[in-house]
Amino acid sequence: MKKIQMVDLKSQYDKIKDTVNASIQEVLETNTYINGPHVHQFQKNLEEYLDVKHVIPCANGTDALQIAMMGLDLKPGDEVITADFTFAATVEVIALLQLTPVLVDVDLVNMNISIEGIKKAITPKTRAIVPVHLFGRAANMEAIMQLAKEYNLYVIEDNAQAIGAYCKFSDGSKKKAGTIGHVGATSFFPSKNLGCYGDGGAIFTNDNDLAHKLRGIVNHGMYVRYHHDVVGVNSRLDSIQAAVLNAKLPLLDEYNHARREAAKKYNAAFNGHSKIVIPDFDLNGDDHVFHQYTLRIIDADRDGLMQHLLDKGIPCAIYYPIPLHSQKAYLDARYKESDFPVTNQLVEEVLSLPMHTELDDEQIQFITESVLEFLK
Ligand SMILES: *Cc1c(COP(=O)(O)O)cnc(C)c1O
């Protein structure tokens, strides 16, 4: 059996080597390393894939979130609501911009921000909501957009983990995650569903004025060369990364499909087990692209199971072991433990198994049997 990896980028690369290498070679031959035609081409390709008017490439996903927020007219002290159960980048940029993060609990079933939690957290100072499409599962954007409309709030989607997933609406329509709020942000970190071979990120919006503003912010606040109208940053996707992404974007749907197929096989093995809660997703649906395959282990020794798997050479991980409200940098006297019952429960129960595009049946069988043998 091939060695099991949490994310197997090497096997994936081996299959696409020729196209990726040719794409990188073109950049080397044309010597346009920054803001060259490959970056522009990727921007167009991604706009078409996402069906969004504007894609603004940038240096990484954290920058994308920060720049997205810089483009909105938010002022220090404005409250920005986000999920307690996510990667720290989401809350970090809110704090960096001197906005006030307001963490709220998540939903036990989809692990995304709780709609009731948002409602309770809204105050006259609230200006924005940052939903995270966690682990590849689309958040409930219909409810979030309704609340945003009702309270006149911006919505900034953190789509670092769910590129290609669809959000569904009650009228039967669907749109790609990241393109529904006022602005969306994603990351092309190598292990993400669409990963480059270094750092990369992008911002999406359908708003022409905001897109113009963001294009200036990523480039030192310049709209006319050497005229700096706003305080900007330097955040660029380099051409070599864009070339990798141009080669990989046409495969994204296939990759997300492979992830969903692996998730179905895991789910089939664990379904109905009294100590395992499998991720909930519509088997024919496309609202979950499984950036992570995350189980809840209930009434059992989750950490013992993790060690058992590691001892057998099966990588696995706890995303995330500490709620953001308990992190030193984000402590806030306003929070009470009773505000976060679900996040506090999830950090004790979650376990993410290997999830990538190259998992084969033999590996999945070995992983599921190893889990079941410990929990029997
Ligand atoms: C990866 C990630 C980011 C940050 O992306 P980088 O490219 O690593 O800066 C932000 N939010 C979430 C939810 C992520 O998973």
Side-chain angles (χ1 to χ4, degrees):
M1 184 175 64
K2 201 165 63 173
K3 188 174 177 320
I4 299 173
Q5 317 240 19
M6 198 67 186
V7 180
D8 188 353
L9 293 175
K10 174 75 171 94
S11 302
Q12 191 191 61
Y13 171 67
D14 285 343
K15 292 183 187 162
I16 57 174
K17 207 173 199 155
D18 293 346
T19 22
V20 172
N21 289 5
S23 194
I24 293 173
Q25 192 65 36
E26 264 180 45
V27 177
L28 300 178
E29 298 299 338
T30 52
N31 293 278
T32 47
Y33 302 119
I34 300 289
N35 290 336
H38 298 85
V39 177
H40 189 69
Q41 189 58 54
F42 175 63
Q43 175 196 321
K44 294 286 162 218
N45 292 346
L46 192 59
E47 284 167 355
E48 192 179 323
Y49 174 81
L50 291 172
D51 192 19
V52 70
K53 270 196 194 159
H54 305 281
V55 164
I56 298 105
C58 66
N60 59 66
T62 309
D63 274 10
L65 280 167
Q66 178 184 326
I67 294 157
M69 285 181 214
M70 288 171 78
L72 304 171
D73 54 341
L74 302 174
K75 291 173 200 63
D78 284 350
E79 293 178 0
V80 179
I81 293 174
T82 194
D84 189 33
F85 189 60
T86 172
F87 180 56
T90 324
V91 67
E92 177 178 76
V93 299
I94 299 171
L96 259 178
L97 294 174
Q98 298 189 310
L99 307 169
T100 303
V102 177
L103 297 170
V104 309
D105 208 7
V106 294
D107 181 271
L108 190 60
V109 175
N110 68 25
M111 302 188 193
N112 281 319
I113 195 162
S114 149
I115 304 303
E116 284 310 308
I118 298 175
K119 282 187 196 162
K120 276 193 268 171
I122 293 174
T123 75
K125 286 181 155 179
T126 307
R127 296 298 312 282
I129 307 170
V130 186
V132 182
H133 303 288
L134 197 73
F135 301 151
R137 174 73 132 87
N140 183 351
M141 289 306 293
E142 181 157 25
I144 291 167
M145 293 313 288
Q146 259 161 20
L147 278 177
K149 200 168 166 198
E150 190 177 336
Y151 292 92
N152 196 24
L153 308 174
Y154 290 118
V155 175
I156 302 131
E157 293 176 70
D158 181 343
N159 195 32
Q161 301 190 358
I163 194 155
Y166 277 99
C167 295
K168 297 187 177 158
F169 297 86
S170 48
D171 66 1
S173 66
K174 51 185 196 175
K175 285 184 191 162
K176 292 236 168 82
T179 68
I180 299 147
H182 300 86
V183 59
T186 201
S187 164
F188 306 120
F189 185 81
S191 66
K192 307 284 184 184
N193 289 38
L194 178 61
C196 58
Y197 296 161
D199 273 310
I203 311 156
F204 330 129
T205 184
N206 283 304
D207 179 328
N208 297 340
D209 294 338
L210 179 59
H212 174 73
K213 202 165 170 198
L214 294 170
R215 288 190 209 289
I217 293 172
V218 297
N219 188 25
H220 302 289
M222 266 195 298
Y223 297 90
V224 176
R225 200 161 171 79
Y226 299 124
H227 292 251
H228 304 274
D229 294 358
V230 294
V231 177
V233 294
N234 171 26
S235 187
R236 297 183 284 238
L237 178 71
D238 74 68
S239 300
I240 290 184
Q241 300 309 333
V244 172
L245 292 165
N246 280 330
K248 289 183 75 177
L249 180 59
L251 301 167
L252 178 58
D253 284 343
E254 199 180 297
Y255 285 163
N256 284 341
H257 179 74
R259 288 171 179 271
R260 261 198 303 273
E261 289 302 304
K264 278 185 199 172
K265 289 172 192 162
Y266 276 141
N267 269 7
F270 299 140
N271 194 16
H273 195 289
S274 64
K275 294 177 178 167
I276 306 176
V277 180
I278 57 178
D280 172 76
F281 77 111
D282 170 3
L283 284 181
N284 304 311
D286 37 23
D287 60 335
H288 200 326
V289 292
F290 289 93
H291 175 59
Q292 298 296 345
Y293 179 82
T294 303
L295 297 172
R296 286 172 48 215
I297 306 300
I298 50 174
D299 297 324
D301 178 7
R302 187 263 321 252
D303 294 347
L305 169 60
M306 183 167 166
Q307 195 53 54
H308 170 76
L309 296 177
L310 294 172
D311 290 346
K312 298 192 77 168
I314 301 170
C316 53
I318 296 168
Y319 301 121
Y320 295 94
I322 304 169
L324 287 176
H325 79 266
S326 306
Q327 299 282 1
K328 224 175 177 177
Y330 304 110
L331 295 176
D332 189 317
R334 282 183 302 185
Y335 300 142
K336 299 186 296 294
E337 283 310 314
S338 58
D339 294 335
F340 307 103
V342 177
T343 304
N344 286 339
Q345 182 181 344
L346 287 174
V347 297
E348 301 294 329
E349 293 179 346
V350 287
L351 182 64
S352 297
L353 298 182
M355 175 49 76
H356 53 79
T357 59
E358 312 302 315
L359 279 168
D360 63 36
D361 287 352
E362 190 187 9
Q363 292 176 316
I364 292 176
Q365 192 180 343
F366 181 67
I367 296 166
T368 56
E369 282 173 3
S370 302
V371 170
L372 294 170
E373 111 199 329
F374 184 86
L375 292 178
K376 72 174 177 291

